[in-house]
Amino acid sequence: MVAGSGPADSVSLDAPHGLPGHLVGFVEALRARGIPVGPSETVDAGRVMTVLDLLDREVLREGLACALLRRTTHRATFDGLFDLWFPVAVGQRGVAADEVAIPHTPAGEVDIPALRDMLAELLALDDPGRRLEQLAGQLVEQLGQYQSARGPSFSAYQALKEVQPQTLLAKILAGLAVGPDTSAFDAEVARRAARQRIDGFRAAVEAETRRRVAERIGRERVASYGVARQAEDVDFLRASERELAELRRSSQRLARILASRLAVRRKHARRGEIDLRRTLRKSMSTGGVPIDLVNRKPHPGRPELVLLCDVSGSVAGFSNFTLLLVSALREQFSRVRIFAFVDNTDEVTRFFDPSTQLDEAMAKIFTESDVVGFDGHSDYGGALTAFAREFPDAVTSRSSLLILGDARTNYRDPQLDTLRALVGVAKHAHWLNPEPRTQWGSGDSAADRYREVIDMYECRSARQLTDVVSRLLPV
């Protein structure tokens, strides 16, 4: 099968229940990656496939995306899984006579300089289209193979190692007619366009690699590590800068979700608990059957939130996102006080307001507050002691105390008695830990000792954090 063959041909090779079964498998893969797809969307997708030209892969991609996706943030994950479930080809790609082919030396080896020149010429074209895709396929086939412990496999790094497309910028700009007489603005536009084309070619090579590897070890396994996760499912402690930026962009949406959940809880809380004595008394008029329930009049308090947050580098991604989320929820509470620490504690509430960006607020924490005391290494015991000493009125009987951090003390005294005193005063006290539960207590972690004093919850991703916070925040 060559590039351009329809996806219906490729799925018929391994789908035991035909195209409908293959679609259901694709939907299950979307759900496994955090994309909510229900039965109605699945039925819609099936109907879409009955009216589309299945030999046109891009039309099929867009049709299924319209039927299955609810948010634009799901698109990157959808595209990665679509490429695995509806591959552009099966096996090695064929090369037609009128298509580009990788140049070889008389000895039969790949001519790397000539290949680099060919790639630069294609990337300088306005619409290289299928030829660039064909070149990516040949590159993976001829340069990307290697021998793994489980047999022959493919590697995008191996395929791109000698070609180094990122070093072709000057040649591509020359092909785009960027010379000394070009204005600075036009030169910058061309430079960005060239970088985007290079990134696009690298993405094509990576997609081709995933396709070939999936044929050997299974698409489900490749999907588990080769397809981008939803921002809400990214591990805080392993997230890249791009993933953290995506998380920040989604914070307002998550804040709206949390606010709606809190509103529902408040609505139920206003009803009050059942007054059993008055209910039984009223049931006398109905023969002792408690048809009408009588609720006690609720006495809602004014929730106050106190946040004690580790802002050291090891948990920066987790702390930054949580601070951003809580800052967006400030209107839900009568009062919010935010304290940050590394090895000393200081109040930083003044840095978080609607007009201040998170990056600016975090920069002010380290330049204008006293969160670093001695050596700049996390000291939870010292931070707790400083918090209790310098801000004795911060935690009251109306406060909900929320501590954020991994509880790694660098083998210093965790000051459990200080934490116990704070928990005893607070109305509610919870600890959110971004590390896996299996690592609590390992190495210099005092999480296993702290959790004996305070309720501790694993919050490794934004999804976990949202679920936990929606249950813990006071109403």
Side-chain angles (χ1 to χ4, degrees), residues 59-91:
V59 168
L60 178 62
R61 182 197 298 270
E62 298 305 321
L64 290 180
C66 290
L68 297 173
L69 300 185
R70 303 178 186 177
R71 294 200 299 265
T72 56
T73 54
H74 296 157
R75 187 55 193 259
T77 303
F78 171 88
D79 284 338
L81 292 172
F82 181 90
D83 289 337
L84 291 175
W85 260 257
F86 299 90
V88 68
V90 174

mmCIF file of all heavy atoms in Angstrom, residues 59-91:
data_model
loop_
_atom_site.group_PDB
_atom_site.id
_atom_site.type_symbol
_atom_site.label_atom_id
_atom_site.label_comp_id
_atom_site.label_asym_id
_atom_site.label_seq_id
_atom_site.Cartn_x
_atom_site.Cartn_y
_atom_site.Cartn_z
ATOM 1 N N VAL A 59 -10.379 14.792 4.836
ATOM 2 C CA VAL A 59 -11.808 15.031 4.990
ATOM 3 C C VAL A 59 -12.356 14.168 6.123
ATOM 4 O O VAL A 59 -13.170 14.619 6.943
ATOM 5 C CB VAL A 59 -12.549 14.745 3.669
ATOM 6 C CG1 VAL A 59 -14.056 14.699 3.890
ATOM 7 C CG2 VAL A 59 -12.208 15.803 2.628
ATOM 8 N N LEU A 60 -11.921 12.904 6.186
ATOM 9 C CA LEU A 60 -12.341 12.025 7.274
ATOM 10 C C LEU A 60 -11.884 12.563 8.618
ATOM 11 O O LEU A 60 -12.635 12.535 9.602
ATOM 12 C CB LEU A 60 -11.782 10.622 7.044
ATOM 13 C CG LEU A 60 -12.088 9.586 8.127
ATOM 14 C CD1 LEU A 60 -13.592 9.365 8.248
ATOM 15 C CD2 LEU A 60 -11.379 8.272 7.832
ATOM 16 N N ARG A 61 -10.649 13.064 8.682
ATOM 17 C CA ARG A 61 -10.123 13.623 9.934
ATOM 18 C C ARG A 61 -11.014 14.766 10.425
ATOM 19 O O ARG A 61 -11.407 14.815 11.594
ATOM 20 C CB ARG A 61 -8.695 14.122 9.715
ATOM 21 C CG ARG A 61 -8.038 14.687 10.986
ATOM 22 C CD ARG A 61 -6.812 15.521 10.638
ATOM 23 N NE ARG A 61 -5.785 14.754 9.979
ATOM 24 C CZ ARG A 61 -4.793 14.106 10.605
ATOM 25 N NH1 ARG A 61 -4.717 14.147 11.912
ATOM 26 N NH2 ARG A 61 -3.888 13.441 9.913
ATOM 27 N N GLU A 62 -11.313 15.709 9.522
ATOM 28 C CA GLU A 62 -12.110 16.863 9.928
ATOM 29 C C GLU A 62 -13.533 16.465 10.282
ATOM 30 O O GLU A 62 -14.132 17.016 11.213
ATOM 31 C CB GLU A 62 -12.113 17.911 8.806
ATOM 32 C CG GLU A 62 -10.735 18.479 8.474
ATOM 33 C CD GLU A 62 -10.047 19.066 9.690
ATOM 34 O OE1 GLU A 62 -10.737 19.709 10.513
ATOM 35 O OE2 GLU A 62 -8.818 18.880 9.828
ATOM 36 N N GLY A 63 -14.095 15.519 9.550
ATOM 37 C CA GLY A 63 -15.452 15.076 9.852
ATOM 38 C C GLY A 63 -15.556 14.439 11.224
ATOM 39 O O GLY A 63 -16.480 14.736 11.997
ATOM 40 N N LEU A 64 -14.616 13.560 11.555
ATOM 41 C CA LEU A 64 -14.632 12.913 12.874
ATOM 42 C C LEU A 64 -14.353 13.922 13.985
ATOM 43 O O LEU A 64 -14.923 13.829 15.078
ATOM 44 C CB LEU A 64 -13.605 11.783 12.916
ATOM 45 C CG LEU A 64 -13.928 10.554 12.063
ATOM 46 C CD1 LEU A 64 -12.831 9.512 12.202
ATOM 47 C CD2 LEU A 64 -15.276 9.951 12.440
ATOM 48 N N ALA A 65 -13.473 14.885 13.717
ATOM 49 C CA ALA A 65 -13.178 15.904 14.724
ATOM 50 C C ALA A 65 -14.430 16.716 15.041
ATOM 51 O O ALA A 65 -14.721 17.016 16.207
ATOM 52 C CB ALA A 65 -12.051 16.815 14.243
ATOM 53 N N CYS A 66 -15.196 17.077 14.006
ATOM 54 C CA CYS A 66 -16.432 17.839 14.235
ATOM 55 C C CYS A 66 -17.439 17.030 15.050
ATOM 56 O O CYS A 66 -18.174 17.588 15.884
ATOM 57 C CB CYS A 66 -17.044 18.240 12.897
ATOM 58 S SG CYS A 66 -16.104 19.501 12.004
ATOM 59 N N ALA A 67 -17.481 15.730 14.833
ATOM 60 C CA ALA A 67 -18.470 14.895 15.517
ATOM 61 C C ALA A 67 -18.062 14.543 16.939
ATOM 62 O O ALA A 67 -18.928 14.396 17.814
ATOM 63 C CB ALA A 67 -18.709 13.615 14.717
ATOM 64 N N LEU A 68 -16.765 14.399 17.195
ATOM 65 C CA LEU A 68 -16.308 13.824 18.461
ATOM 66 C C LEU A 68 -15.783 14.842 19.468
ATOM 67 O O LEU A 68 -15.806 14.571 20.672
ATOM 68 C CB LEU A 68 -15.212 12.783 18.195
ATOM 69 C CG LEU A 68 -15.632 11.556 17.384
ATOM 70 C CD1 LEU A 68 -14.413 10.706 17.058
ATOM 71 C CD2 LEU A 68 -16.665 10.732 18.149
ATOM 72 N N LEU A 69 -15.282 15.984 19.019
ATOM 73 C CA LEU A 69 -14.606 16.910 19.926
ATOM 74 C C LEU A 69 -15.543 18.001 20.410
ATOM 75 O O LEU A 69 -16.381 18.502 19.651
ATOM 76 C CB LEU A 69 -13.391 17.536 19.243
ATOM 77 C CG LEU A 69 -12.308 16.570 18.766
ATOM 78 C CD1 LEU A 69 -11.115 17.341 18.230
ATOM 79 C CD2 LEU A 69 -11.866 15.631 19.880
ATOM 80 N N ARG A 70 -15.351 18.382 21.687
ATOM 81 C CA ARG A 70 -16.148 19.460 22.272
ATOM 82 C C ARG A 70 -15.328 20.715 22.497
ATOM 83 O O ARG A 70 -15.883 21.805 22.599
ATOM 84 C CB ARG A 70 -16.734 19.002 23.611
ATOM 85 C CG ARG A 70 -17.577 17.740 23.535
ATOM 86 C CD ARG A 70 -18.082 17.325 24.905
ATOM 87 N NE ARG A 70 -18.767 16.038 24.870
ATOM 88 C CZ ARG A 70 -19.252 15.447 25.954
ATOM 89 N NH1 ARG A 70 -19.128 16.031 27.143
ATOM 90 N NH2 ARG A 70 -19.851 14.272 25.849
ATOM 91 N N ARG A 71 -14.012 20.563 22.650
ATOM 92 C CA ARG A 71 -13.166 21.723 22.902
ATOM 93 C C ARG A 71 -11.967 21.703 21.955
ATOM 94 O O ARG A 71 -11.459 20.640 21.593
ATOM 95 C CB ARG A 71 -12.662 21.732 24.358
ATOM 96 C CG ARG A 71 -13.752 21.919 25.373
ATOM 97 C CD ARG A 71 -13.179 22.409 26.700
ATOM 98 N NE ARG A 71 -12.245 21.471 27.280
ATOM 99 C CZ ARG A 71 -12.552 20.561 28.178
ATOM 100 N NH1 ARG A 71 -13.802 20.449 28.595
ATOM 101 N NH2 ARG A 71 -11.647 19.760 28.681
ATOM 102 N N THR A 72 -11.504 22.896 21.595
ATOM 103 C CA THR A 72 -10.358 22.994 20.686
ATOM 104 C C THR A 72 -9.081 22.464 21.329
ATOM 105 O O THR A 72 -8.169 22.039 20.618
ATOM 106 C CB THR A 72 -10.146 24.455 20.267
ATOM 107 O OG1 THR A 72 -9.981 25.273 21.442
ATOM 108 C CG2 THR A 72 -11.329 24.967 19.466
ATOM 109 N N THR A 73 -9.016 22.470 22.667
ATOM 110 C CA THR A 73 -7.820 21.981 23.347
ATOM 111 C C THR A 73 -7.630 20.476 23.169
ATOM 112 O O THR A 73 -6.560 19.953 23.450
ATOM 113 C CB THR A 73 -7.891 22.303 24.847
ATOM 114 O OG1 THR A 73 -9.120 21.796 25.391
ATOM 115 C CG2 THR A 73 -7.851 23.805 25.067
ATOM 116 N N HIS A 74 -8.670 19.770 22.703
ATOM 117 C CA HIS A 74 -8.568 18.330 22.490
ATOM 118 C C HIS A 74 -7.947 17.989 21.134
ATOM 119 O O HIS A 74 -7.638 16.823 20.881
ATOM 120 C CB HIS A 74 -9.959 17.683 22.557
ATOM 121 C CG HIS A 74 -10.611 17.788 23.890
ATOM 122 N ND1 HIS A 74 -11.973 17.713 24.077
ATOM 123 C CD2 HIS A 74 -10.072 17.957 25.132
ATOM 124 C CE1 HIS A 74 -12.257 17.826 25.358
ATOM 125 N NE2 HIS A 74 -11.123 17.976 26.024
ATOM 126 N N ARG A 75 -7.754 18.993 20.271
ATOM 127 C CA ARG A 75 -7.411 18.693 18.890
ATOM 128 C C ARG A 75 -6.045 18.015 18.747
ATOM 129 O O ARG A 75 -5.881 17.085 17.940
ATOM 130 C CB ARG A 75 -7.449 19.975 18.048
ATOM 131 C CG ARG A 75 -7.271 19.751 16.553
ATOM 132 C CD ARG A 75 -8.296 18.757 16.038
ATOM 133 N NE ARG A 75 -7.992 18.268 14.705
ATOM 134 C CZ ARG A 75 -8.572 18.708 13.601
ATOM 135 N NH1 ARG A 75 -9.508 19.647 13.662
ATOM 136 N NH2 ARG A 75 -8.245 18.215 12.433
ATOM 137 N N ALA A 76 -5.039 18.467 19.471
ATOM 138 C CA ALA A 76 -3.701 17.883 19.321
ATOM 139 C C ALA A 76 -3.713 16.399 19.677
ATOM 140 O O ALA A 76 -3.115 15.570 18.967
ATOM 141 C CB ALA A 76 -2.695 18.635 20.194
ATOM 142 N N THR A 77 -4.391 16.041 20.752
ATOM 143 C CA THR A 77 -4.491 14.630 21.140
ATOM 144 C C THR A 77 -5.275 13.847 20.099
ATOM 145 O O THR A 77 -4.903 12.715 19.739
ATOM 146 C CB THR A 77 -5.151 14.506 22.515
ATOM 147 O OG1 THR A 77 -4.406 15.265 23.477
ATOM 148 C CG2 THR A 77 -5.209 13.060 22.969
ATOM 149 N N PHE A 78 -6.351 14.432 19.613
ATOM 150 C CA PHE A 78 -7.160 13.772 18.584
ATOM 151 C C PHE A 78 -6.327 13.478 17.344
ATOM 152 O O PHE A 78 -6.364 12.361 16.794
ATOM 153 C CB PHE A 78 -8.350 14.661 18.219
ATOM 154 C CG PHE A 78 -9.130 14.182 17.020
ATOM 155 C CD1 PHE A 78 -10.166 13.278 17.161
ATOM 156 C CD2 PHE A 78 -8.811 14.627 15.740
ATOM 157 C CE1 PHE A 78 -10.878 12.831 16.061
ATOM 158 C CE2 PHE A 78 -9.514 14.185 14.637
ATOM 159 C CZ PHE A 78 -10.544 13.289 14.794
ATOM 160 N N ASP A 79 -5.553 14.463 16.884
ATOM 161 C CA ASP A 79 -4.757 14.268 15.665
ATOM 162 C C ASP A 79 -3.723 13.163 15.848
ATOM 163 O O ASP A 79 -3.485 12.361 14.940
ATOM 164 C CB ASP A 79 -4.063 15.579 15.281
ATOM 165 C CG ASP A 79 -5.021 16.580 14.645
ATOM 166 O OD1 ASP A 79 -6.069 16.142 14.123
ATOM 167 O OD2 ASP A 79 -4.735 17.783 14.681
ATOM 168 N N GLY A 80 -3.083 13.113 17.026
ATOM 169 C CA GLY A 80 -2.098 12.070 17.269
ATOM 170 C C GLY A 80 -2.701 10.674 17.230
ATOM 171 O O GLY A 80 -2.131 9.742 16.656
ATOM 172 N N LEU A 81 -3.877 10.522 17.835
ATOM 173 C CA LEU A 81 -4.545 9.220 17.829
ATOM 174 C C LEU A 81 -5.119 8.890 16.455
ATOM 175 O O LEU A 81 -5.113 7.729 16.037
ATOM 176 C CB LEU A 81 -5.659 9.213 18.880
ATOM 177 C CG LEU A 81 -5.176 9.263 20.338
ATOM 178 C CD1 LEU A 81 -6.358 9.438 21.283
ATOM 179 C CD2 LEU A 81 -4.390 8.013 20.697
ATOM 180 N N PHE A 82 -5.615 9.893 15.745
ATOM 181 C CA PHE A 82 -6.141 9.652 14.399
ATOM 182 C C PHE A 82 -5.043 9.095 13.495
ATOM 183 O O PHE A 82 -5.289 8.164 12.704
ATOM 184 C CB PHE A 82 -6.702 10.954 13.819
ATOM 185 C CG PHE A 82 -7.284 10.809 12.440
ATOM 186 C CD1 PHE A 82 -8.616 10.485 12.263
ATOM 187 C CD2 PHE A 82 -6.488 10.985 11.314
ATOM 188 C CE1 PHE A 82 -9.155 10.337 10.983
ATOM 189 C CE2 PHE A 82 -7.008 10.841 10.041
ATOM 190 C CZ PHE A 82 -8.350 10.515 9.875
ATOM 191 N N ASP A 83 -3.840 9.645 13.602
ATOM 192 C CA ASP A 83 -2.743 9.165 12.759
ATOM 193 C C ASP A 83 -2.402 7.710 13.046
ATOM 194 O O ASP A 83 -1.887 7.002 12.168
ATOM 195 C CB ASP A 83 -1.502 10.047 12.965
ATOM 196 C CG ASP A 83 -1.672 11.432 12.366
ATOM 197 O OD1 ASP A 83 -2.512 11.574 11.458
ATOM 198 O OD2 ASP A 83 -0.974 12.363 12.808
ATOM 199 N N LEU A 84 -2.659 7.255 14.280
ATOM 200 C CA LEU A 84 -2.385 5.863 14.622
ATOM 201 C C LEU A 84 -3.520 4.936 14.205
ATOM 202 O O LEU A 84 -3.276 3.821 13.736
ATOM 203 C CB LEU A 84 -2.140 5.736 16.132
ATOM 204 C CG LEU A 84 -0.850 6.367 16.670
ATOM 205 C CD1 LEU A 84 -0.804 6.272 18.182
ATOM 206 C CD2 LEU A 84 0.378 5.698 16.072
ATOM 207 N N TRP A 85 -4.761 5.382 14.369
ATOM 208 C CA TRP A 85 -5.909 4.518 14.065
ATOM 209 C C TRP A 85 -6.304 4.569 12.580
ATOM 210 O O TRP A 85 -6.901 3.632 12.074
ATOM 211 C CB TRP A 85 -7.090 4.899 14.947
ATOM 212 C CG TRP A 85 -7.246 3.990 16.121
ATOM 213 C CD1 TRP A 85 -8.160 2.990 16.276
ATOM 214 C CD2 TRP A 85 -6.446 3.959 17.312
ATOM 215 N NE1 TRP A 85 -7.982 2.357 17.476
ATOM 216 C CE2 TRP A 85 -6.936 2.932 18.141
ATOM 217 C CE3 TRP A 85 -5.362 4.716 17.763
ATOM 218 C CZ2 TRP A 85 -6.389 2.628 19.367
ATOM 219 C CZ3 TRP A 85 -4.813 4.425 18.985
ATOM 220 C CH2 TRP A 85 -5.318 3.396 19.785
ATOM 221 N N PHE A 86 -5.974 5.675 11.932
ATOM 222 C CA PHE A 86 -6.258 5.806 10.501
ATOM 223 C C PHE A 86 -4.967 6.216 9.792
ATOM 224 O O PHE A 86 -4.842 7.354 9.328
ATOM 225 C CB PHE A 86 -7.370 6.832 10.269
ATOM 226 C CG PHE A 86 -8.674 6.476 10.906
ATOM 227 C CD1 PHE A 86 -8.956 6.883 12.211
ATOM 228 C CD2 PHE A 86 -9.619 5.727 10.230
ATOM 229 C CE1 PHE A 86 -10.152 6.552 12.814
ATOM 230 C CE2 PHE A 86 -10.827 5.394 10.831
ATOM 231 C CZ PHE A 86 -11.089 5.800 12.126
ATOM 232 N N PRO A 87 -3.984 5.324 9.726
ATOM 233 C CA PRO A 87 -2.664 5.685 9.204
ATOM 234 C C PRO A 87 -2.707 6.029 7.723
ATOM 235 O O PRO A 87 -3.574 5.577 6.972
ATOM 236 C CB PRO A 87 -1.828 4.427 9.462
ATOM 237 C CG PRO A 87 -2.828 3.320 9.499
ATOM 238 C CD PRO A 87 -4.069 3.901 10.111
ATOM 239 N N VAL A 88 -1.734 6.843 7.322
ATOM 240 C CA VAL A 88 -1.646 7.259 5.936
ATOM 241 C C VAL A 88 -1.230 6.117 5.026
ATOM 242 O O VAL A 88 -1.471 6.151 3.810
ATOM 243 C CB VAL A 88 -0.653 8.437 5.811
ATOM 244 C CG1 VAL A 88 0.768 7.982 6.086
ATOM 245 C CG2 VAL A 88 -0.763 9.108 4.455
ATOM 246 N N ALA A 89 -0.611 5.101 5.581
ATOM 247 C CA ALA A 89 -0.157 3.953 4.795
ATOM 248 C C ALA A 89 0.062 2.782 5.733
ATOM 249 O O ALA A 89 0.020 2.923 6.959
ATOM 250 C CB ALA A 89 1.127 4.287 4.040
ATOM 251 N N VAL A 90 0.291 1.612 5.155
ATOM 252 C CA VAL A 90 0.632 0.410 5.916
ATOM 253 C C VAL A 90 1.950 -0.113 5.378
ATOM 254 O O VAL A 90 2.105 -0.309 4.175
ATOM 255 C CB VAL A 90 -0.458 -0.664 5.798
ATOM 256 C CG1 VAL A 90 -0.017 -1.953 6.480
ATOM 257 C CG2 VAL A 90 -1.768 -0.162 6.399
ATOM 258 N N GLY A 91 2.908 -0.310 6.301
ATOM 259 C CA GLY A 91 4.206 -0.810 5.872
ATOM 260 C C GLY A 91 5.033 0.257 5.175
ATOM 261 O O GLY A 91 4.802 1.461 5.305
#
